[in-house]
Amino acid sequence: MRPAERVTLEDVARAAGVSRATASRVVRGDAGVTEKKTRAVQAAVAALGYIPNSAARALVSRRTGTIAVVIPEPDQMIFSDPFLTRTVQEISRYLDAADIQLVMVFGDHAGHGRRAAKYLRNGSVDGAIVISHHRFSGQVEAIMSAQLPVVFIGRPAAQNSPTAWVDLDNVSGGRLAAERLLERGVRRPAIITGPLDMVAADDRLKGFREVLGSSGIDPVLLEGAFTAESGRAAGEALAPRIESGEIDGVFASSDLMALAALKVWRERGLRVPDDVRLVSCDNTAEAAAADPPLTSVVNPTDVLGRAATDMLRSIMDDTWDGQPVLVPARLELRQSC
């Protein structure tokens, strides 16, 4: 056979000495074919270099072999936030092992999710994993309207929220941060939150306040955006209050914000942990390599990525047990607190 010619299923069937239907069943992995015929077809596939026609296979299986990862965030955040990039890398790794293609879908800047939903409805993907969604009016509802299997990394808080989600126990994470600060003698704490239209940021604040409230402490609150820019702004706002002794400990709700605030304080001559104790969240490699290394709530991208991928595939295969996954929080202790 000339190299330029595409090997067909008929060629495989002829070489294996079986019918086209039998060759097709073996290629699809169907049961009901004898071991002898299966070996013959597999040998013919290998010898001829047969590659199944993915379009034809999709028509039969009603699967495209493609999963979308939807991130309804501004472009600059997607490529600068280590939590987002590493979560996507983990999902890609698990999908690659299953020979499933990943495509990235970005939300519209208005945050409504309509453009992403339109793409999901066009039949190009079998399902979607949504990361870093907000409580914008209609965002979750728009994505769910695509009528596809969808899993959220981060608990959604829309009306009649879907239960297909995977999340860190962020309330517990906030509690652990507060408990550590109290253990280290902090009595005048502040918190740099994430955007409070996100459940994760709100939950971390809730757990933090809960523990401090039981000690009669009301923390100073600065709302950030899970970005370095917002961490720097919060760090600058807190610096004079740290210098005066008004603030003696800070919980920054992401490593990215904590590292930016730390840089500001170092420029002002403030020392961590001597002048202010610092706890962060995400436990990235950058947090471990900081000076000083940051005590941080572990936000395990590998666990979240695998759990979301497994959940989505089980929904697609009709084997999901209907239960969300809440990952326990733990604190990695280092020199900053």
Side-chain angles (χ1 to χ4, degrees), residues 32 63 83 138 155 170 172 206 209 213 218 242 272 284 302 307 318 334-335:
R63 294 277 179 91
F83 171 76
R155 177 173 58 87
N170 287 294
S172 178
K206 186 182 299 180
R209 276 179 163 164
D218 185 20
I242 295 170
V272 173
T284 58
D302 56 341
D318 251 352
R334 301 190 182 96
Q335 288 92 320

Side-chain angles (χ1 to χ4, degrees), residues 8 50 79 106 121 215 233 298 306:
T8 67
Y50 173 68
F79 298 110
F106 301 136
R121 280 194 294 267
S215 297
V298 178
R306 167 171 279 180

Side-chain angles (χ1 to χ4, degrees), residues 12-275:
V12 171
R14 192 179 304 112
V18 300
S19 68
R20 185 188 186 285
T22 297
S24 178
R25 286 200 296 275
V26 173
V27 168
R28 292 199 308 267
D30 293 350
V33 181
T34 66
E35 185 178 345
K36 180 179 178 181
K37 289 181 178 179
T38 297
R39 285 200 304 267
V41 171
Q42 290 171 342
V45 167
L48 297 175
Y50 173 68
I51 300 174
N53 184 313
S54 58
R57 184 170 55 195
L59 286 173
V60 173
S61 67
R62 299 187 181 277
R63 294 277 179 91
T64 66
T66 303
I67 295 298
V69 170
V70 181
I71 306 181
E73 292 285 3
D75 296 351
Q76 66 270 23
M77 184 170 179
I78 294 166
F79 298 110
S80 65
D81 188 316
F83 171 76
L84 291 178
T85 55
R86 286 168 189 163
T87 303
V88 172
Q89 287 170 351
E90 293 294 344
I91 293 169
S92 178
R93 187 159 64 89
Y94 295 130
L95 290 178
D96 184 64
D99 197 27
I100 297 173
Q101 178 64 46
L102 177 150
V103 297
M104 296 283 291
V105 179
F106 301 136
D108 55 89
H109 288 282
H112 301 302
R114 292 176 189 138
R115 186 173 67 191
K118 182 179 179 182
Y119 174 80
L120 297 178
R121 280 194 294 267
N122 72 12
S124 299
V125 299
D126 300 320
I129 297 173
V130 183
I131 312 173
S132 194
H133 49 92
H134 294 251
R135 284 187 286 210
F136 297 149
S137 177
Q139 186 186 78
V140 170
E141 292 86 350
I143 291 169
M144 293 304 296
S145 73
Q147 298 297 308
L148 277 176
V150 176
V151 171
F152 293 84
I153 294 183
R155 177 173 58 87
Q159 188 175 11
N160 301 317
S161 288
T163 57
W165 54 264
V166 175
D167 203 0
L168 176 71
D169 186 346
N170 287 294
V171 174
S172 178
R175 291 190 192 113
L176 290 172
E179 288 166 357
R180 180 61 180 175
L181 289 169
L182 290 175
E183 285 169 6
R184 301 298 288 165
V186 170
R187 292 299 178 268
R188 299 175 298 282
I191 179 172
I192 307 170
T193 73
L196 293 176
D197 62 8
M198 295 186 72
V199 173
D202 196 35
D203 280 353
R204 289 170 198 173
L205 173 61
K206 186 182 299 180
F208 191 69
R209 276 179 163 164
E210 179 184 297
V211 169
L212 294 175
S214 65
S215 297
I217 298 172
D218 185 20
V220 171
L221 187 154
L222 291 87
E223 184 173 356
F226 287 148
T227 63
E229 292 79 6
S230 67
R232 182 172 185 85
E236 289 171 345
L238 289 171
R241 303 175 78 170
I242 295 170
E243 289 169 339
S244 68
E246 184 183 348
I247 299 294
D248 61 354
V250 175
F251 173 38
S253 296
S254 78
D255 287 346
L256 200 59
M257 295 191 298
L259 291 166
L262 180 63
K263 186 173 185 293
V264 169
W265 299 335
R266 185 180 296 116
E267 292 167 353
R268 297 281 291 262
L270 294 170
R271 299 164 301 165
V272 173
D274 297 339
D275 298 312

